[in-house]
Amino acid sequence: MTAAVDLQTLAAQIRDARGVAHKRDIDAVVVRLGLGARHAAVPVGDDCAAIPDCEGHLLLAIEGFIDSFVSADPYFAGYCGIMVNLSDVAAMGGRPLAVVDALWSRDAASADPILAGLSDAAALYGVPVVGGHTNTRSEHGSLAVAVLGRAGSHLLTSFDAEPGDDLVAAIDLRGRFRDPHPYWDASTGSPGERLRGDLALLPGLAEDRLCRAAKDISMAGVVGTALMLLECSNVGAVIDLDAIPRPDDVPLTRWLTAFPSFGYLLSVHPDRTPAVLARFAERGISANVIGGVDASRVARIRDAGGEEAVVWDFVASPLIGCGRAEAGAAA
């Protein structure tokens, strides 16, 4: 139970987790490329680049996969190439149009399970693979996949959370871990119609103006992803650990570093929260208010007894360096 967890230790574990450490690499890249000073429909730091056009926004994103993951679970790596990119598009209130991949492998036999995963996920989610790059004579295996999507005029961004909002977590708990990895798989083996309908929830929330800020839960976990959302919006929050949707038999410490195949954080005005929660409930997806957004620019966790611990103070130190003040005004 969360009441028995030492909060200071847990906060340190979240800060030091591998998924959060990878996100810290973003800060130096943003500075080196001078991305923070560029004008964009959505500043750098969001799930996709948003490119305005006459019909709304084109969305463009890419995901690269760690070589060890590709080697250990090549089918799921290929599958995730589709799944995680579509999640990025959905997190911004968009729908996918097509994907391309770049694949390196030692030989054709090594490439086959990766391609099988890509093909199966593309069919289930109803998005075409339209091209890419392939090298089956490489010394090691690597995979990157990019997606093109489209959103309307109302985007969900990481830059529009406001003090007073509810912080909502929506996670599909109908899955299992792909042991020994921290990947919660609620996608493979599920009906394609259900998967497509679940993803469509996010653009529906955007189009109906029920939500203004969102981010898909990444390898940084629930709290780690919340850190990025809060930093981009220049806000803080307190997160109630007991309120985070979680499978009954999964320990909290493992769940906080898990990557869910369907998981989102949303910043929602309280008068719209009931409607947002109802939409996820209608599709069997667990969704709860897990905290409140405030102006502190400090992220805290809180246990059932009301004790709190600071996870990150953005005034003292950036995480990804993409806060609203650094990147300019949000769209």
Side-chain angles (χ1 to χ4, degrees), residues 275-288:
V276 170
L277 297 179
R279 292 204 180 185
F280 287 107
E282 287 168 1
R283 297 199 61 84
I285 296 168
S286 298
N288 288 329

Side-chain angles (χ1 to χ4, degrees), residues 1-298:
M1 297 296 292
T2 58
V5 175
D6 182 275
L7 280 189
Q8 298 299 332
T9 299
L10 185 57
Q13 289 174 345
I14 294 170
R15 285 192 298 271
D16 296 338
R18 184 181 184 185
V20 173
H22 286 172
K23 302 304 180 184
R24 298 196 72 179
D25 297 342
I26 296 171
D27 186 16
V29 175
V30 169
V31 173
R32 182 66 182 86
L33 295 178
L35 297 178
R38 294 184 182 179
H39 173 74
V42 175
V44 171
D46 227 314
D47 293 294
C48 300
I51 306 163
D53 67 6
C54 59
E55 299 179 31
H57 298 83
L58 287 173
L59 302 177
L60 184 61
I62 186 169
E63 294 281 352
F65 296 88
I66 298 171
D67 293 355
S68 59
F69 171 43
V70 178
S71 176
D73 198 344
Y75 176 86
F76 195 55
Y79 192 98
C80 285
I82 302 293
M83 181 181 71
V84 300
N85 270 296
L86 302 194
S87 183
D88 284 343
V89 169
M92 295 195 67
R95 293 179 169 84
L97 296 175
V99 298
V100 296
D101 71 282
L103 171 64
W104 294 262
S105 66
R106 291 184 176 87
D107 49 42
S110 299
D112 188 68
I114 301 171
L115 295 171
L118 281 165
S119 178
D120 288 352
L124 281 169
Y125 283 99
V127 59
V129 179
V130 297
H133 169 84
T134 304
N135 181 337
T136 59
R137 302 171 188 271
S138 175
E139 293 183 359
H140 64 279
S142 295
L143 175 68
V145 182
V147 62
L148 180 67
R150 179 173 293 284
S153 59
H154 186 72
L155 292 171
L156 304 181
T157 81
S158 297
F159 296 87
D160 292 316
E162 296 288 348
D165 283 354
D166 287 331
L167 187 63
V168 173
I171 306 174
D172 190 348
L173 303 182
R174 298 167 293 187
R176 72 272 183 211
F177 275 111
R178 295 183 74 93
D179 290 321
H181 307 293
Y183 312 134
W184 179 257
D185 182 6
S187 181
T188 62
S190 300
E193 182 179 5
R194 194 193 91 192
L195 295 174
R196 295 189 295 272
D198 290 348
L199 276 184
L201 284 168
L202 279 299
L205 294 176
E207 291 157 6
D208 293 338
R209 304 296 199 271
L210 290 176
C211 180
R212 56 191 174 196
K215 200 164 188 69
D216 71 318
I217 298 172
S218 69
M219 286 297 298
V222 175
V223 178
T225 300
L227 297 181
M228 294 184 286
L229 174 63
L230 298 173
E231 180 182 13
C232 286
S233 290
N234 279 356
V235 293
V238 57
I239 297 172
D240 291 307
L241 297 176
D242 277 8
I244 296 172
R246 173 166 56 107
D248 292 336
D249 58 345
V250 176
L252 176 69
T253 51
R254 185 178 192 191
W255 190 242
L256 290 181
T257 58
F259 163 68
S261 51
F262 183 102
Y264 296 89
L265 293 176
L266 306 98
S267 187
V268 185
H269 193 280
D271 66 2
R272 298 173 184 173
T273 299
V276 170
L277 297 179
R279 292 204 180 185
F280 287 107
E282 287 168 1
R283 297 199 61 84
I285 296 168
S286 298
N288 288 329
V289 176
I290 65 168
V293 179
D294 57 45
S296 68
R297 297 189 66 191
V298 177

